[in-house]
Amino acid sequence: MLSCAIYALLKHPEVLKKAYDQVDRVLGPDIDAKPTYQQVTQLHLHYADPEGGLRLWSPAPAMA
């Protein structure tokens, strides 16, 4: 799931830039700081990536 989400972000650099901007705005410049639960709930783009990856590239496309 994560590899499909990363692939989709790399294919759409404008969305990747929005994700970077959102993370920088919410989490701040300190890369060593651990995010709090409240900060993670403010990140809205992270919900779309895994769900979109599963929708586009389902791991089990058909079951008999």
Side-chain angles (χ1 to χ4, degrees):
M1 179 168 65
L2 186 58
S3 62
C4 291
I6 291 171
Y7 175 77
L9 284 171
L10 291 175
K11 295 294 281 183
H12 301 281
E14 68 280 357
V15 178
L16 180 60
K17 177 158 178 23
K18 286 181 186 180
Y20 272 120
D21 291 342
Q22 187 180 85
V23 168
D24 290 342
R25 180 180 45 81
V26 172
L27 301 181
D30 185 10
I31 61 170
D32 293 328
K34 294 182 181 178
T36 64
Y37 178 78
Q38 183 180 10
Q39 288 173 318
V40 172
T41 60
Q42 294 175 12
L43 298 173
H44 301 289
L45 284 174
H46 78 281
Y47 289 115
D49 293 341
E51 292 172 2
L54 282 176
R55 182 178 54 81
L56 294 172
W57 303 288
S58 175
M63 295 179 66

